[in-house]
Structures are given as structure tokens and as C-alpha cells.
Amino acid sequence: EAQVTQNPRYLITVTGKKLTVTCSQNMNHEYMSWYRQDPGLGLRQIYYSMNVEVTDKGDVPEGYKVSRKEKRNFPLILESPSPNQTSLYFCASSPGPARQGYTFGSGTRLTVV
Amino acid sequence: AQTVTQSQPEMSVQEAETVTLSCTYDTSESDYYLFWYKQPPSRQMILVIRQEAYKQQNATENRFSVNFQKAAKSFSLKISDSQLGDAAMYFCAYRSTFKSSGDKLTFGTGTRLAVRP
């Protein structure tokens, strides 16, 4: 089944403890992105990648890191999480051209206490 | 930078009736794509319908159709014969066709649709 797989689905952590949210797609998509969803703000892009080894900042990149060492994987790293990073996170992938839209993962609910 | 505005935080519709969700956007680009995504309580993001800006014909997908007014920068979603399963948060989104703009979906803040039995 063609899909974007995110793990974990739920995560509670403490301030300052490094964590990684994994994202993998099995559709050979070129483009991948991370978004965060907050009430009243919709979804905002954190980082994106249009090719292996090529990543770029989205609208809200502060406090996050990403890497794209291989086409299928695009992990999101929070080196020192803070409570303001409590949010719902989505990974998404696209074949490339804009018309095809994005396929989203199931989301990761992160709580930083 | 592009912006997307959904001015209706919440809407309600009677089952089997028709409802229209509003979306406006701002861009200086002439070629782009617009999308409506549905987010049910499962929180999965599901693509409902897409519209290509250079196509004048409004997109339709079964009970879902759009009213795309390019000059007015308006992109509303009409849901006909509403069903209980249509209850969800609906997001309007914009995507540029220009690679130099990077690659992202710019989302509105969402409209929560309730369906009354």
C-alpha cells in the first residue's frame, strides 16, 4: 500500500530531551515536507526537501533539524524540545509537480512538558 | 508570499443538504494549484479536490465541487447531499508551480463542519 509512515503517533517528553520523529514513504516521491498543526493556525511548513541531500527551511524552522540522506526517509529532529513545540506534526510527500498534491502521514501528537 | 484565508471557523449543515465552505487567497503568481483537504477526527489529511489555476472549468469529485473565481481569488467548496461522514475540519491550500519559490502548501486556518442528522 502506498503510504507515508510516521512514528511515533504519540509522544510525551520533557524539556531539553532530544527526540526524533521518523518519516518514511514507499512511493519513490521526490519531495518531502514537515508541517506542524496548531489550533487556529492551520498547518505551517517546518522544513522541506526537493531532492536527496537537499533541504530548506519552511515558515517555522526554529528549533528543528532535518536530514535527507536517502529518498524514502525524512526524519524530524528536535535537539532541545521546549513546551512551545507541543503540537501535531505531519510528514508529507509528493512526486514533484505541484498538481499532484501531497500524501500525508497519520500525524504525531507531541507533548513537551 | 501567498496567504490563504478561511473566514468561517465553524459551519453546520443538515444531513442531505448542501453547504459551501469559503476560501480566499492572495498571490501575485498566475499559475498555481489549489486544494481542499479533509481532516476527520482520525486526524488523517485526505485530499478532497484540486484545481489548476489555468483551467477555467471548475473541478468536481462526486458530491464535492468547487467554485473557482480566479480574478476574485476565491476558491469555495460545495458539498452536496451532505452525509454524517462529511463531518470534519476542512482546509483550503495553495501550492505554487514555481520551483524557485521552494515547495510548500500554504494552508488556511480551517473550517470545522458539523453535520446534523
Side-chain angles (χ1 to χ4, degrees):
Chain A
E1 179 189 355
Q3 60 185 355
V4 177
T5 303
Q6 273 181 250
N7 281 297
R9 278 184 57 87
Y10 298 91
L11 179 59
I12 301 175
T13 191
V14 296
T15 299
K17 185 176 181 182
K18 182 179 178 180
L19 67 91
T20 299
V21 184
T22 63
C23 174
S24 180
Q25 50 95 2
N26 62 1
M27 297 166 282
N28 201 37
H29 284 176
E30 294 288 335
Y31 294 3
M32 297 186 76
S33 272
W34 277 101
Y35 291 82
R36 61 176 288 173
Q37 181 180 357
D38 301 290
L41 297 177
L43 285 81
R44 296 175 292 165
Q45 191 183 51
I46 303 170
Y47 269 94
Y48 66 96
S49 169
M50 296 169 73
N51 208 340
V52 175
E53 300 291 2
V54 179
T55 64
D56 211 341
K57 297 177 181 178
D59 295 322
V60 288
E62 294 77 20
Y64 305 95
K65 284 177 59 176
V66 293
S67 66
R68 187 99 181 270
K69 292 185 170 60
E70 49 191 338
K71 201 173 191 178
R72 63 183 293 125
N73 295 324
F74 192 46
L76 179 69
I77 303 159
L78 286 73
E79 298 241 330
S80 184
S82 62
N84 65 12
Q85 292 178 299
T86 292
S87 187
L88 177 59
Y89 291 87
F90 285 99
C91 181
S93 73
S94 169
R99 70 178 301 275
Q100 291 165 288
Y102 268 94
T103 300
F104 283 81
S106 300
T108 296
R109 172 73 68 186
L110 173 65
T111 303
V112 183
V113 298
Chain B
Q2 296 80 28
T3 59
V4 177
T5 302
Q6 294 178 252
S7 58
Q8 307 154 315
E10 294 181 346
M11 293 281 286
S12 180
V13 64
Q14 191 74 36
E15 197 175 3
E17 298 288 303
T18 295
V19 64
T20 299
L21 308 184
S22 301
C23 173
T24 59
Y25 58 95
D26 190 26
T27 184
S28 59
E29 298 174 341
S30 59
D31 196 16
Y32 48 86
Y33 292 86
L34 297 165
F35 304 87
W36 278 97
Y37 280 89
K38 171 185 178 182
Q39 187 180 46
S42 66
R43 79 189 189 203
Q44 182 69 43
M45 293 290 287
I46 302 165
L47 178 63
V48 175
I49 199 166
R50 69 168 66 91
Q51 175 76 43
E52 302 172 48
Y54 64 85
K55 284 189 176 179
Q56 294 196 348
Q57 186 173 6
N58 290 323
T60 61
E61 288 286 344
N62 301 314
R63 297 182 295 106
F64 298 87
S65 61
V66 298
N67 183 4
F68 174 51
Q69 303 287 331
K70 190 173 184 180
K73 296 179 182 174
S74 171
F75 182 60
S76 59
L77 175 70
K78 185 171 84 171
I79 306 174
S80 304
D81 184 25
S82 297
Q83 302 175 358
L84 294 177
D86 294 334
M89 181 73 90
Y90 287 82
F91 290 100
C92 178
Y94 173 104
R95 190 175 185 186
S96 172
T97 61
F98 295 101
K99 269 195 171 184
S100 59
S101 301
D103 185 72
K104 73 175 180 182
L105 284 169
T106 300
F107 285 89
T109 52
T111 296
R112 185 170 300 282
L113 178 66
V115 181
R116 305 186 301 275

